[in-house]
Amino acid sequence: MGRVWESGEPMIVDNYANWEGRVADEDREPYAAVLGVPIRWGEEFLGVLNVSSDRVAAFSPAHAELLSLFAAQAAIAIKNARLMQGEQAQWELAEALGTAAAVVNSTLETEQVLDRILEQVERVVAGDSFNVMLVEGDDVRIVRSRGYERMEITDPVTGMAVPIATYPSLLKMQQSGEPVVLPDTESSADWVAPGDRDWRRSYVGAPIRVGGTVVGFLNVNGTRPGQFGVADAQRLSAFANYAATAIENARLVERLEDEVAARTSEIRAEKEKSETILKSVGDAITLTDLELRIQYANDAFSALTGYSVQEVLGEDATRVGATIRSEQDRQRM
């Protein structure tokens, strides 16, 4: 009852049919008398507890006092239920974020991490389809997606690229670095339908930032208006941070692999150059490690000593030298 909501006090209506505050749509209702009391928790108004009777003047102030006691119990039950729902939602979010963190720390496979992150997002953001986009110059490409098959989308979504400037929601996130929520896409100037038939009615997106630069977007679409709010944007931003970590780790590994490959190529070239020089020298040359084990011997060594290179590799240079001198002394005798 609106009057109870406005006044915050119990209200008794002895004859609803003659009451000035009756609602025309309820003229056919069978009740004659109505009693309503507010459900309050401190200063917070939670609702109205109503009872009705088919008898005129069926309720008294004593009834209102008794119903108010039930309303107080209802308030406790409602607050407990909301608290439990909030704790459950927080627990699910914490668990999902923990799983995302574990995945990021357990593998350097970017695609695997992004797949797992989308799985966890789906647990705590009530969307219908999900995707990850990565920036490629002025365009953005969908690299992972989930849920589109439920929308009977037959064309492949993953791999599709579009210009960022074409979509105001993406452009706004790229420029601001902040998430975007569109409760109703039909009434939003920031929404551009990607096709003729657009089933998306609500949207929430979060930028993926690496080193202060937006490198991609984490997006969730809904089929109902009002499906997303600020809390969804905050949750999505948390997962976007994990996606950023995965992308940054993968890029660091890629750079290290490139550096190692380049250095390995340089070392190989230097080795080949050194071997060419050593082979062209007419004197016997050997190279040893710190423990004086022979690591290299040129062809001149073999020609002068009679030992093949394979015979002396890994052998103690001092012992090999002593053996060669002993044989040379024996030959001179």
Side-chain angles (χ1 to χ4, degrees), residues 14 27 89 110 146 170 174 192-193 224 243 245 251 269 272 325:
D14 290 328
D27 284 346
T110 307
R146 285 179 64 84
L170 300 180
Q174 186 184 48
V192 174
R224 304 184 309 278
T245 300
R251 291 182 175 180
E272 292 174 354
R325 286 193 297 273

Side-chain angles (χ1 to χ4, degrees), residues 7-223:
S7 67
E9 300 293 336
M11 175 173 288
I12 299 174
V13 177
D14 290 328
N15 189 343
Y16 187 80
N18 297 328
W19 184 50
E20 73 280 2
R22 74 180 186 280
V23 179
D25 292 341
E26 297 181 357
D27 284 346
R28 297 181 181 179
E29 294 295 337
Y31 48 76
V34 180
L35 167 61
V37 298
I39 303 174
R40 305 179 66 92
W41 182 263
E43 297 300 319
E44 183 181 0
F45 193 93
L46 302 178
V48 178
L49 181 60
N50 297 311
V51 294
S52 59
S53 173
D54 58 0
R55 293 185 296 107
V56 173
F59 303 114
S60 67
H63 291 115
E65 184 176 353
L66 179 62
L67 192 62
S68 294
L69 295 177
F70 284 106
Q73 296 299 315
I76 295 174
I78 292 170
K79 290 298 290 186
N80 285 340
R82 289 181 178 179
L83 181 61
M84 291 181 63
Q85 289 175 350
E87 290 179 348
Q88 177 69 17
Q90 289 300 316
W91 182 85
E92 290 178 353
L93 176 60
E95 185 184 34
L97 288 173
T99 301
V103 172
V104 169
N105 294 323
S106 66
T107 179
L108 294 174
E109 294 292 333
T110 307
E111 292 186 355
Q112 180 182 357
V113 172
L114 295 180
D115 273 335
R116 296 289 181 83
I117 286 176
L118 285 183
E119 290 175 7
Q120 299 310 313
V121 169
E122 190 171 5
R123 290 180 54 190
V124 295
V125 179
D128 297 297
S129 70
F130 310 78
N131 70 66
V132 178
M133 295 175 167
L134 293 183
V135 174
E136 298 178 353
D138 294 331
D139 295 339
V140 65
R141 183 180 301 276
I142 297 177
V143 293
R144 313 307 292 167
S145 61
R146 285 179 64 84
Y148 286 84
E149 65 282 356
R150 295 193 291 265
M151 303 299 107
E152 299 182 357
I153 305 298
T154 56
D155 296 333
V157 176
T158 301
M160 184 177 67
V162 295
I164 297 176
T166 305
Y167 294 89
S169 56
L170 300 180
L171 186 61
K172 180 177 290 187
M173 283 191 287
Q174 186 184 48
Q175 293 173 344
S176 69
E178 299 295 330
V180 166
V181 181
L182 305 180
D184 190 347
T185 57
E186 286 191 356
S187 61
S188 174
D190 288 335
W191 182 255
V192 174
D196 295 335
R197 178 180 173 273
D198 191 17
W199 49 269
R200 303 164 185 82
R201 288 299 309 277
S202 53
Y203 165 85
V204 58
I208 301 172
R209 293 182 293 178
V210 174
T213 301
V214 174
V215 300
F217 307 96
L218 185 56
N219 305 299
V220 183
N221 301 301
T223 57

